[in-house]
């Protein structure tokens, strides 16, 4: 059992708050992703779990043990870093085997465990090579195998894909997803890439400036963002957000008018996803503006307009065509819209 409890966890350096009152239970075998921009506190949280960073306030429990005062080696966690951290003088086999030697695992077990871990990450043909003779993706797989061979209670992964090119990121992401299914080990994964978070996580924790903004499944966070920060961070492209005014169910902003909405009168931010709106070349929609940009994506066409100085993106069909500068009309049905309080940024529940 490797349930992790983070009880009112905080980390401060003088007056600077890195993590503020983080309170969460991570279920046994759950794949939890900490997501947010640089400096939001996600890596600091992971380092506190690992024992690499001292806790200012709060408690960390792994299973039935409070681990605040335990050394990293005694917490039974395995880390995979952004920098692969391989030993250049050792071949792949010995790099993977190294944690077993350090932990004084019986030598009779070494070969079987190394081969099993290498097979899981498809490295059996590269065991004799040194790290310098490997590609970035292969080096990251060695780092994964070195964590797997430990058979820990918890995996901690700190942006393990950020050094890889786009194509390798996709294939290695799929490999991590498959490994988590096979290994069934509690995993905490740090990333600033919301696509990684959406594809890998059982639950996502969105953080900003050391504070948890929202915790939920990828679907919950995508469909019902708690505030404008989450709405503007999750999604590719992020949710369109337009500042305006709501009165009697009618939202108005420069170049925008949407009726049939539910919410209190006053200043609000209207949000909607690019794929939920539609675009045409007439003037029947709620937003009419000149096309600012047209991007062919293969399966769709991304149409961008500027409304009151803000960019608004809409995904049209791959056949849709318009020239930059042509007037386009965007239809925004009220049922696809989200409303947020202008002052606090919080979602308005209706």
């Amino acid at each position: 059992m490797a349930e992790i409890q983070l009880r009112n966890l905080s980390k401060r350096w003088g007056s600077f708050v890195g993590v503020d009152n983080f309170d969460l239970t991570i279920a046994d075998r759950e794949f939890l992703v900490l997501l947010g921009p640089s400096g939001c506190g996600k890596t600091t949280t992971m380092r506190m779990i690992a024992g690499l960073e001292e806790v200012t306030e709060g408690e960390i429990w792994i299973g039935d043990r409070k681990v605040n005062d335990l050394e990293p080696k005694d917490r039974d966690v395995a880390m995979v870093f952004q920098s692969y951290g391989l030993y250049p003088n050792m071949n792949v086999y010995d790099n993977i085997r190294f944690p077993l030697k350090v932990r004084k695992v019986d030598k009779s077990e070494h070969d079987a465990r190394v081969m099993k871990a290498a097979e899981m990450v498809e490295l059996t043909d590269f065991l004799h090579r040194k790290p310098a003779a490997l590609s970035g993706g292969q080096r990251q797989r060695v780092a994964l195998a070195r964590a797997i061979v430990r058979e820990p209670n918890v995996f901690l992964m700190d942006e393990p894909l950020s050094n890889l090119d786009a194509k390798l990121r996709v294939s290695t992401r799929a490999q991590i997803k498959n490994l988590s299914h096979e290994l069934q080990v509690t995993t905490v994964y740090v990333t600033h890439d919301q696509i990684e978070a959406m594809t890998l996580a059982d639950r996502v924790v969105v953080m900003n400036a050391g504070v948890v903004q929202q915790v939920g499944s990828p679907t919950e966070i995508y469909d019902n963002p708690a505030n404008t920060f989450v709405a503007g961070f999750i999604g590719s492209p992020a949710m369109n957000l337009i500042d305006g005014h709501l009165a009697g169910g009618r939202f108005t902003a420069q170049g925008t008018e949407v009726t049939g909405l539910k919410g209190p009168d006053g200043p609000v931010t209207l949000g909607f996803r690019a794929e939920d709106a539609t675009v045409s070349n007439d003037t029947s929609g709620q937003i009419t503006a000149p096309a600012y940009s047209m991007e062919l994506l293969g399966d769709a066409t991304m149409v961008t307009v500027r409304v009151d100085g803000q960019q608004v993106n809409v995904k049209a069909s791959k056949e849709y065509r318009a020239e930059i500068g042509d007037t386009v009309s965007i239809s925004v049905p009220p049922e696809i819209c989200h409303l947020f309080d202008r002052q606090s940024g919080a979602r308005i529940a209706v």
Side-chain angles (χ1 to χ4, degrees):
M1 163 104 172
E3 176 184 272
I4 302 172
Q5 293 180 55
L6 309 178
R7 300 179 182 175
N8 306 111
L9 206 59
S10 293
K11 177 63 183 179
R12 290 190 294 274
W13 294 271
S15 60
F16 178 77
V17 179
V19 176
D20 188 23
N21 199 32
F22 193 119
D23 195 67
L24 184 71
T25 297
I26 304 166
D28 182 37
R29 302 181 184 182
E30 181 175 18
F31 196 114
L32 184 92
V33 173
L34 302 178
L35 174 68
S38 296
C40 73
K42 56 189 187 295
T43 295
T44 301
T45 302
M46 172 176 283
R47 288 175 63 83
M48 285 192 286
I49 297 171
L52 301 174
E53 201 74 67
E54 201 172 310
V55 174
T56 305
E57 282 174 13
E59 297 179 353
I60 301 170
W61 289 72
I62 298 178
D64 57 2
R65 294 192 306 165
K66 181 182 171 183
V67 300
N68 286 49
D69 300 324
L70 293 183
E71 292 293 318
K73 64 184 176 60
D74 299 323
R75 297 191 184 198
D76 201 12
V77 301
M79 281 197 78
V80 180
F81 296 95
Q82 176 182 348
S83 58
Y84 316 122
L86 304 181
Y87 298 103
N89 58 320
M90 295 183 187
N91 63 21
V92 169
Y93 183 96
D94 287 328
N95 263 286
I96 297 172
R97 181 185 172 212
F98 190 74
L100 302 179
K101 292 172 68 177
V102 170
R103 298 175 77 82
K104 297 183 170 54
V105 173
D106 192 311
K107 286 184 179 179
S108 64
E109 294 182 33
H110 287 200
D111 192 61
R113 282 172 66 166
V114 169
M115 295 308 291
K116 181 183 174 186
E119 192 175 335
M120 280 185 158
V121 296
E122 300 171 17
L123 280 174
T124 48
D125 293 338
F126 302 93
L127 293 173
H128 62 286
R129 290 195 189 181
K130 297 278 181 72
L134 301 174
S135 68
Q138 287 164 342
R139 288 180 205 174
Q140 192 54 275
R141 299 210 307 268
V142 177
L144 282 169
R146 194 173 55 190
I148 291 165
V149 81
R150 285 263 314 272
E151 298 179 1
N153 270 329
V154 176
F155 282 125
L156 302 175
M157 300 190 182
D158 188 10
E159 307 214 29
L161 307 185
S162 57
N163 285 347
L164 305 182
D165 63 41
K167 187 177 178 183
L168 269 177
R169 268 204 301 273
V170 172
S171 60
T172 311
R173 192 172 71 215
Q175 196 157 39
I176 289 173
K177 180 83 172 178
N178 185 264
L179 279 172
S180 80
H181 175 76
E182 279 189 48
L183 295 167
Q184 295 289 299
V185 175
T186 309
T187 302
V188 181
Y189 185 105
V190 162
T191 184
H192 63 271
D193 185 323
Q194 48 93 17
I195 294 176
E196 282 178 33
M198 298 293 284
T199 52
L200 290 171
D202 296 321
R203 279 192 305 164
V204 179
V205 178
V206 183
M207 299 181 70
N208 185 37
V211 178
V212 173
Q213 303 293 312
Q214 188 172 2
V215 181
S217 71
T219 303
E220 288 166 355
I221 284 176
Y222 189 83
D223 290 343
N224 298 298
N227 53 41
T228 49
F229 175 81
V230 178
F233 195 79
I234 299 289
S236 183
M239 182 178 284
N240 296 303
L241 297 169
I242 302 172
D243 291 336
H245 197 86
L246 189 68
R250 177 171 168 265
F251 174 86
T252 52
Q254 185 178 329
T256 306
E257 181 178 327
V258 182
T259 57
L261 298 169
K262 294 177 183 176
D265 290 357
V268 298
T269 299
L270 178 82
F272 63 92
R273 294 279 180 201
E275 65 271 23
D276 292 335
T278 55
V279 64
S280 62
N281 291 333
D282 55 31
T283 55
S284 61
Q286 285 85 349
I287 300 173
T288 301
Y292 179 76
S293 170
M294 305 288 295
E295 298 170 87
L296 303 180
L297 306 179
D299 62 337
T301 302
M302 186 70 74
V303 182
T304 303
V305 301
R306 287 180 71 81
V307 177
D308 196 17
Q310 300 172 87
Q311 287 191 14
V312 172
N313 302 297
V314 182
K315 275 187 179 177
S317 71
K318 62 183 179 181
E319 291 83 16
Y320 180 80
R321 293 290 181 272
E323 297 295 324
I324 291 176
D326 288 354
T327 298
V328 298
S329 184
I330 298 169
S331 295
V332 188
E335 61 270 16
I336 70 160
C337 292
H338 305 257
L339 291 174
F340 302 92
D341 183 89
R342 270 269 288 285
Q343 192 166 5
S344 68
R347 180 186 182 81
I348 297 172
V350 292

